[in-house]
Amino acid sequence: MQLLALNGPNLNLLGSREPGLYGTSSLEAIRDDLSERAMALGVELAWFQSNHEGALVDRIQAARGQSSGILINAAAYTHTSIALRDALLAVAIPYVELHLSNTHAREPFRHHSFLADRAVGVICGFGPTSYRLALEGLVDHLRSRS
Ligand code: DQA
């Protein structure tokens, strides 16, 4: 089983970006930890980060026929992007939305997600552990269906 982890804008700055909110782990450290977890669960993990909405749409489209599930931290695009929602629905790949911070405990404009209502589940607020929880949830979900 191959899964895809997608990361949106500004997540490449994790480690130095607002550490009080997002912690001190770099995105590379999160990726390495998640790859290890994926290996332990017996799944392959592809990884992608972009600051550009269209590049994320292209990567979602490229996952068609390749990935059985998607983990997505769309960052600010979560709250703005109908294009990402449409791409996820177009490829019809089950996805889990995740965030490092608890978006519901932050500014009102972060309370709405264009992705959440069609996600398998949503995880937020656990820092880098959100990635692990999302991975476990998605793998359990996919295995229970097959
Ligand atoms: C985020 C939350 C978003 O609201 C924000 O725009 C981000 C990061 C998170 O992981 O907590 O860039 O997705």
Side-chain angles (χ1 to χ4, degrees):
M1 181 193 297
Q2 197 200 90
L3 304 181
L4 171 64
L6 281 177
N7 296 280
N10 300 306
L11 294 174
N12 56 312
L13 299 182
L14 285 180
S16 61
R17 173 192 181 197
E18 298 186 85
L21 259 179
Y22 297 121
T24 52
S25 299
S26 66
L27 191 61
E28 290 71 27
I30 293 172
R31 179 197 59 204
D32 292 350
D33 178 69
L34 202 69
S35 298
E36 262 181 43
R37 299 263 159 181
M39 215 185 298
L41 289 168
V43 300
E44 273 179 57
L45 186 73
W47 182 267
F48 187 74
Q49 188 275 330
S50 179
N51 293 327
H52 304 279
E53 190 174 19
L56 291 161
V57 169
D58 286 345
R59 188 63 189 88
I60 291 168
Q61 290 186 11
R64 191 159 41 168
Q66 286 192 347
S67 301
S68 310
I70 293 176
L71 302 170
I72 182 161
N73 183 353
Y77 289 143
T78 307
H79 319 297
T80 63
S81 181
I82 298 169
L84 283 185
R85 175 191 178 87
D86 284 352
L88 288 163
L89 299 186
V91 299
I93 299 172
Y95 63 92
V96 170
E97 173 183 333
L98 74 103
H99 302 281
L100 296 148
S101 63
N102 179 356
T103 49
H104 300 284
R106 298 182 61 192
E107 305 96 319
F109 61 82
R110 294 184 205 275
H111 298 179
H112 178 257
S113 163
F114 278 103
L115 313 181
D117 64 306
R118 301 298 293 271
V120 173
V122 180
I123 308 262
C124 69
F126 295 97
T129 303
S130 290
Y131 281 80
R132 292 188 203 167
L133 295 172
L135 175 68
E136 283 185 22
L138 183 58
V139 169
D140 270 7
H141 172 80
L142 295 172
R143 288 196 169 142
S144 71
R145 290 189 337 167
S146 60

